PDB file of all heavy atoms in Angstrom:
ATOM      1  N   HIS A  11      78.707  96.195 118.974  1.00 91.00           N
ATOM      2  CA  HIS A  11      79.563  95.175 118.364  1.00 91.00           C
ATOM      3  C   HIS A  11      79.962  95.578 116.943  1.00 91.00           C
ATOM      4  O   HIS A  11      81.125  95.419 116.547  1.00 91.00           O
ATOM      5  CB  HIS A  11      78.840  93.823 118.357  1.00 91.00           C
ATOM      6  CG  HIS A  11      79.607  92.728 117.703  1.00 91.00           C
ATOM      7  ND1 HIS A  11      80.754  92.188 118.247  1.00 91.00           N
ATOM      8  CD2 HIS A  11      79.401  92.071 116.537  1.00 91.00           C
ATOM      9  CE1 HIS A  11      81.221  91.248 117.446  1.00 91.00           C
ATOM     10  NE2 HIS A  11      80.416  91.158 116.406  1.00 91.00           N
ATOM     11  N   ARG A  12      79.009  96.100 116.169  1.00 93.00           N
ATOM     12  CA  ARG A  12      79.320  96.551 114.804  1.00 93.00           C
ATOM     13  C   ARG A  12      80.293  97.726 114.816  1.00 93.00           C
ATOM     14  O   ARG A  12      81.164  97.824 113.957  1.00 93.00           O
ATOM     15  CB  ARG A  12      78.035  96.937 114.077  1.00 93.00           C
ATOM     16  CG  ARG A  12      77.072  95.808 113.850  1.00 93.00           C
ATOM     17  CD  ARG A  12      77.413  94.965 112.673  1.00 93.00           C
ATOM     18  NE  ARG A  12      77.383  95.784 111.472  1.00 93.00           N
ATOM     19  CZ  ARG A  12      77.968  95.436 110.350  1.00 93.00           C
ATOM     20  NH1 ARG A  12      78.600  94.310 110.267  1.00 93.00           N
ATOM     21  NH2 ARG A  12      77.918  96.219 109.301  1.00 93.00           N
ATOM     22  N   SER A  13      80.166  98.606 115.793  1.00 93.00           N
ATOM     23  CA  SER A  13      81.083  99.746 115.894  1.00 93.00           C
ATOM     24  C   SER A  13      82.496  99.275 116.211  1.00 93.00           C
ATOM     25  O   SER A  13      83.467  99.776 115.645  1.00 93.00           O
ATOM     26  CB  SER A  13      80.606 100.710 116.973  1.00 93.00           C
ATOM     27  OG  SER A  13      79.337 101.213 116.672  1.00 93.00           O
ATOM     28  N   VAL A  14      82.610  98.311 117.100  1.00 94.00           N
ATOM     29  CA  VAL A  14      83.922  97.765 117.439  1.00 94.00           C
ATOM     30  C   VAL A  14      84.528  97.051 116.234  1.00 94.00           C
ATOM     31  O   VAL A  14      85.734  97.150 115.979  1.00 94.00           O
ATOM     32  CB  VAL A  14      83.822  96.824 118.664  1.00 94.00           C
ATOM     33  CG1 VAL A  14      85.106  96.071 118.890  1.00 94.00           C
ATOM     34  CG2 VAL A  14      83.449  97.627 119.899  1.00 94.00           C
ATOM     35  N   GLN A  15      83.690  96.354 115.467  1.00 96.00           N
ATOM     36  CA  GLN A  15      84.187  95.702 114.254  1.00 96.00           C
ATOM     37  C   GLN A  15      84.704  96.729 113.252  1.00 96.00           C
ATOM     38  O   GLN A  15      85.744  96.514 112.622  1.00 96.00           O
ATOM     39  CB  GLN A  15      83.081  94.879 113.597  1.00 96.00           C
ATOM     40  CG  GLN A  15      82.897  93.514 114.158  1.00 96.00           C
ATOM     41  CD  GLN A  15      81.856  92.727 113.358  1.00 96.00           C
ATOM     42  OE1 GLN A  15      80.950  93.301 112.756  1.00 96.00           O
ATOM     43  NE2 GLN A  15      81.993  91.417 113.389  1.00 96.00           N
ATOM     44  N   MET A  16      83.981  97.830 113.098  1.00 96.00           N
ATOM     45  CA  MET A  16      84.439  98.885 112.195  1.00 96.00           C
ATOM     46  C   MET A  16      85.794  99.423 112.635  1.00 96.00           C
ATOM     47  O   MET A  16      86.689  99.621 111.810  1.00 96.00           O
ATOM     48  CB  MET A  16      83.427 100.034 112.150  1.00 96.00           C
ATOM     49  CG  MET A  16      82.210  99.771 111.319  1.00 96.00           C
ATOM     50  SD  MET A  16      81.033 101.151 111.348  1.00 96.00           S
ATOM     51  CE  MET A  16      81.954 102.436 110.531  1.00 96.00           C
ATOM     52  N   GLN A  17      85.947  99.648 113.925  1.00 96.00           N
ATOM     53  CA  GLN A  17      87.219 100.140 114.433  1.00 96.00           C
ATOM     54  C   GLN A  17      88.334  99.123 114.208  1.00 96.00           C
ATOM     55  O   GLN A  17      89.453  99.485 113.848  1.00 96.00           O
ATOM     56  CB  GLN A  17      87.120 100.457 115.918  1.00 96.00           C
ATOM     57  CG  GLN A  17      86.392 101.729 116.214  1.00 96.00           C
ATOM     58  CD  GLN A  17      86.371 102.016 117.698  1.00 96.00           C
ATOM     59  OE1 GLN A  17      86.063 101.134 118.500  1.00 96.00           O
ATOM     60  NE2 GLN A  17      86.681 103.243 118.057  1.00 96.00           N
ATOM     61  N   GLY A  18      88.029  97.864 114.418  1.00 97.00           N
ATOM     62  CA  GLY A  18      89.034  96.819 114.219  1.00 97.00           C
ATOM     63  C   GLY A  18      89.487  96.716 112.774  1.00 97.00           C
ATOM     64  O   GLY A  18      90.689  96.634 112.494  1.00 97.00           O
ATOM     65  N   TRP A  19      88.528  96.735 111.849  1.00 97.00           N
ATOM     66  CA  TRP A  19      88.892  96.686 110.436  1.00 97.00           C
ATOM     67  C   TRP A  19      89.673  97.933 110.023  1.00 97.00           C
ATOM     68  O   TRP A  19      90.615  97.855 109.226  1.00 97.00           O
ATOM     69  CB  TRP A  19      87.650  96.534 109.570  1.00 97.00           C
ATOM     70  CG  TRP A  19      87.179  95.125 109.468  1.00 97.00           C
ATOM     71  CD1 TRP A  19      86.076  94.581 110.060  1.00 97.00           C
ATOM     72  CD2 TRP A  19      87.813  94.050 108.767  1.00 97.00           C
ATOM     73  NE1 TRP A  19      85.986  93.248 109.768  1.00 97.00           N
ATOM     74  CE2 TRP A  19      87.041  92.894 108.961  1.00 97.00           C
ATOM     75  CE3 TRP A  19      88.966  93.964 107.992  1.00 97.00           C
ATOM     76  CZ2 TRP A  19      87.389  91.666 108.401  1.00 97.00           C
ATOM     77  CZ3 TRP A  19      89.301  92.732 107.441  1.00 97.00           C
ATOM     78  CH2 TRP A  19      88.521  91.620 107.646  1.00 97.00           C
ATOM     79  N   GLY A  20      89.279  99.074 110.552  1.00 97.00           N
ATOM     80  CA  GLY A  20      90.016 100.303 110.242  1.00 97.00           C
ATOM     81  C   GLY A  20      91.446 100.246 110.731  1.00 97.00           C
ATOM     82  O   GLY A  20      92.379 100.624 110.007  1.00 97.00           O
ATOM     83  N   ALA A  21      91.634  99.751 111.955  1.00 97.00           N
ATOM     84  CA  ALA A  21      92.995  99.636 112.492  1.00 97.00           C
ATOM     85  C   ALA A  21      93.815  98.632 111.681  1.00 97.00           C
ATOM     86  O   ALA A  21      94.996  98.868 111.408  1.00 97.00           O
ATOM     87  CB  ALA A  21      92.940  99.217 113.960  1.00 97.00           C
ATOM     88  N   LEU A  22      93.192  97.534 111.273  1.00 98.00           N
ATOM     89  CA  LEU A  22      93.898  96.538 110.471  1.00 98.00           C
ATOM     90  C   LEU A  22      94.316  97.108 109.116  1.00 98.00           C
ATOM     91  O   LEU A  22      95.467  96.927 108.688  1.00 98.00           O
ATOM     92  CB  LEU A  22      93.023  95.301 110.272  1.00 98.00           C
ATOM     93  CG  LEU A  22      93.639  94.185 109.431  1.00 98.00           C
ATOM     94  CD1 LEU A  22      94.813  93.560 110.165  1.00 98.00           C
ATOM     95  CD2 LEU A  22      92.602  93.147 109.092  1.00 98.00           C
ATOM     96  N   LEU A  23      93.406  97.822 108.462  1.00 98.00           N
ATOM     97  CA  LEU A  23      93.748  98.428 107.177  1.00 98.00           C
ATOM     98  C   LEU A  23      94.854  99.471 107.322  1.00 98.00           C
ATOM     99  O   LEU A  23      95.740  99.576 106.471  1.00 98.00           O
ATOM    100  CB  LEU A  23      92.513  99.059 106.531  1.00 98.00           C
ATOM    101  CG  LEU A  23      91.481  98.092 105.971  1.00 98.00           C
ATOM    102  CD1 LEU A  23      90.281  98.866 105.439  1.00 98.00           C
ATOM    103  CD2 LEU A  23      92.077  97.232 104.887  1.00 98.00           C
ATOM    104  N   LEU A  24      94.817 100.225 108.416  1.00 98.00           N
ATOM    105  CA  LEU A  24      95.876 101.208 108.641  1.00 98.00           C
ATOM    106  C   LEU A  24      97.220 100.539 108.909  1.00 98.00           C
ATOM    107  O   LEU A  24      98.264 101.036 108.470  1.00 98.00           O
ATOM    108  CB  LEU A  24      95.501 102.137 109.801  1.00 98.00           C
ATOM    109  CG  LEU A  24      94.490 103.215 109.458  1.00 98.00           C
ATOM    110  CD1 LEU A  24      94.092 103.980 110.718  1.00 98.00           C
ATOM    111  CD2 LEU A  24      95.043 104.168 108.419  1.00 98.00           C
TER     112      LEU A  24
END
Side-chain angles (χ1 to χ4, degrees):
H11 178 69
R12 296 279 299 161
S13 299
V14 170
Q15 276 185 332
M16 283 178 66
Q17 284 182 312
W19 278 107
L22 179 68
L23 288 177
L24 283 174

